[in-house]
Amino acid sequence: MRALIVLALVTGATLAHAQSNPKKELVAKVLQLQQSSIEGLARNIVERPAVQMMQPAAATLQAQVPPAKREATAKSIDADIRKFVDEGVPILTERAIKIAPSTYGAGLEEKFTEDELRQLIAWLESPVNKKFQQAVPELQSAFTQKLIAEAGPLLDPKLLALQRKLQATLGVPAAPAAAAPKASGAAAKPAAK
């Protein structure tokens, strides 16, 4: 909600300033239409390091935490990561919305003509674009699953060799074969958006 208020204020200020410049009005409209993409990017930026931390934590959990404590430890790690994401997303979203006009907007204003901005707005508002945006997650999911299914078996031996080499380099005991990550498994799945 706070992000929406900030966006409304920024958009309002931008529109007020843009009244003498139709191009600025068009850029403000594009930013308004792209708000969900900007917010999604902020979310991904926060989630990416959290997901990256989960992978070695899971390996360490399997290799070094006694079986009796694994479930409780895993829940604690999951809660800490979820807290980081829950606290970080609003912070980064607010900052993203705040700087969008001076970065994203400035780039649009520089690289696009008024006519191109009008065409872009027409596309962003079009039913075809809205339908496409709604279909993208499903299309990407199907594509990712098929890619992992087909390429996973080709990458699994390489991933296992890399894991063993890293363990040897770090002096960490080798994990049991069943605990080794697989490219076709959960470690290779992209973060939810």
Side-chain angles (χ1 to χ4, degrees):
M1 182 65 175
R2 185 174 176 189
L4 292 175
I5 293 169
V6 171
L7 179 64
L9 291 173
V10 169
T11 303
T14 303
L15 286 173
H17 182 267
Q19 287 181 355
S20 62
N21 185 341
K23 194 170 184 182
K24 287 193 182 297
E25 290 178 32
L26 295 169
V27 167
K29 179 71 174 176
V30 171
L31 290 176
Q32 178 187 9
L33 292 169
Q34 288 298 104
Q35 179 183 345
S36 64
S37 295
I38 293 168
E39 291 173 352
L41 179 60
R43 173 173 281 287
N44 287 341
I45 290 170
V46 172
E47 289 176 343
R48 188 177 310 129
V51 169
Q52 290 172 344
M53 283 188 249
M54 287 177 68
Q55 293 169 346
T60 302
L61 184 70
Q62 291 297 319
Q64 296 179 6
V65 176
K69 294 184 178 184
R70 284 184 189 153
E71 185 176 342
T73 304
K75 286 181 181 178
S76 176
I77 291 169
D78 186 52
D80 290 339
I81 289 173
R82 187 171 290 125
K83 180 180 178 191
F84 168 79
V85 171
D86 290 347
E87 291 175 355
V89 167
I91 292 168
L92 207 59
T93 299
E94 182 180 348
R95 176 59 64 186
I97 290 169
K98 183 178 179 181
I99 68 168
S102 65
T103 55
Y104 198 133
L108 288 170
E109 192 172 344
E110 177 185 322
K111 296 179 186 317
F112 290 82
T113 66
E114 283 183 43
D115 187 52
E116 290 169 332
L117 288 168
R118 283 187 190 89
Q119 290 177 40
L120 179 59
I121 290 168
W123 164 251
L124 291 171
E125 292 178 327
S126 75
V128 172
N129 179 51
K130 290 176 183 174
K131 184 176 181 179
F132 174 71
Q133 293 303 322
Q134 290 173 345
V136 165
E138 182 181 334
L139 297 170
Q140 286 179 341
S141 177
F143 170 76
T144 301
Q145 289 174 6
K146 177 107 172 144
L147 180 63
I148 290 171
E150 289 189 15
L154 301 172
L155 292 179
D156 285 344
K158 293 177 184 300
L159 186 58
L160 184 58
L162 174 61
Q163 180 185 28
R164 288 184 180 143
K165 184 171 183 178
L166 292 176
Q167 288 171 332
T169 301
L170 295 171
V172 176
K182 294 185 177 270
S184 57
K189 291 182 182 171
K193 293 183 180 174

